[in-house]
Amino acid sequence: MTKSIKLMMATNKDVEILHKIQVEAFMPLLQKYNDTQTNPAKETIEKLAERIAETRSDYYVIHFHKEIVGGIRVVPLSDNRTRISPIYIGLIYQGKGIAQEVFKQIEQMYSATVEWELDTIKQEKGNCYLYEKLGYRKAGKEVVINDKMTLISYLKKLN
């Protein structure tokens, strides 16, 4: 699996395909939770282009067997703390262990990081299970988005 997944720094030429995959990946959650203010499916292509161009974060294209299947944004918060926001995999590629391998590769690439953080939807048990399986623990911070959905923070400490 390791050799079939490659992370490449995103560029402007990747914006269109990444936006398409991001909308596809997050649309089922938007339809389920109606979180129009926070859902990445509502993000404009211009906003995604801004995130890719940002110098304070790194945006990667996820390749699986040379196909572009998703994206991940890595935001260094300090010398030893880093945030993932967002990570997404196209619907037909979900459940194949790609995200787990991406997290392993990112942790190796940012080896100085000792604390990783991310947010996910508390009601999405599959997402919570994945992050907990990867060593993340609930950090206690919860934000109610609407009556159907709550965002929960996760933290992973290495060492």
Side-chain angles (χ1 to χ4, degrees):
M1 174 73 88
T2 304
K3 289 185 173 162
S4 58
I5 296 172
K6 296 235 183 303
L7 300 176
M8 308 282 286
M9 194 66 78
T11 67
N12 255 358
K13 67 178 176 29
D14 301 310
V15 171
E16 224 170 274
I17 186 71
L18 285 174
H19 188 258
K20 180 178 179 279
I21 296 168
Q22 178 175 294
V23 170
E24 172 197 290
F26 285 101
M27 188 57 71
L29 297 172
L30 176 62
Q31 292 168 339
K32 185 174 182 179
Y33 297 109
N34 197 31
D35 57 324
T36 56
Q37 300 302 308
T38 57
N39 192 299
K42 297 294 282 183
E43 186 174 75
T44 66
I45 197 166
E46 294 80 14
K47 180 67 177 168
L48 179 58
E50 285 175 26
R51 286 181 190 245
I52 289 171
E54 266 179 12
T55 56
R56 64 178 187 86
S57 66
D58 298 325
Y59 213 114
Y60 296 93
V61 178
I62 301 167
H63 293 262
F64 179 61
H65 294 295
K66 299 183 181 171
E67 290 281 323
I68 294 175
V69 300
I72 182 170
R73 181 170 165 245
V74 179
V75 185
L77 301 173
S78 68
D79 288 344
N80 63 359
R81 189 171 182 132
T82 303
R83 179 171 182 74
I84 303 291
S85 177
I87 179 171
Y88 52 92
I89 309 288
L91 294 177
I92 64 168
Y93 296 100
Q94 291 178 10
K96 298 185 183 309
I98 296 170
Q100 292 178 65
E101 179 58 32
V102 167
F103 273 89
K104 282 182 199 161
Q105 289 186 25
I106 288 291
E107 285 178 12
Q108 289 170 356
M109 292 164 66
Y110 294 81
S111 58
T113 295
V114 294
E115 289 185 350
W116 290 89
E117 68 176 56
L118 58 82
D119 295 337
T120 196
I121 300 170
K122 183 178 182 179
Q123 291 80 359
E124 287 297 308
K125 299 302 179 210
N127 288 359
C128 294
Y129 174 78
L130 169 66
Y131 299 133
E132 289 170 14
K133 182 176 168 183
L134 293 171
Y136 285 79
R137 297 293 166 247
K138 291 176 183 154
K141 185 178 143 207
E142 294 187 14
V143 177
V144 176
I145 301 301
N146 59 38
D147 62 348
K148 298 178 191 170
M149 182 184 144
T150 301
L151 286 180
I152 186 166
S153 293
Y154 274 88
L155 188 62
K156 178 177 183 176
K157 293 184 181 190
L158 302 178
N159 296 359

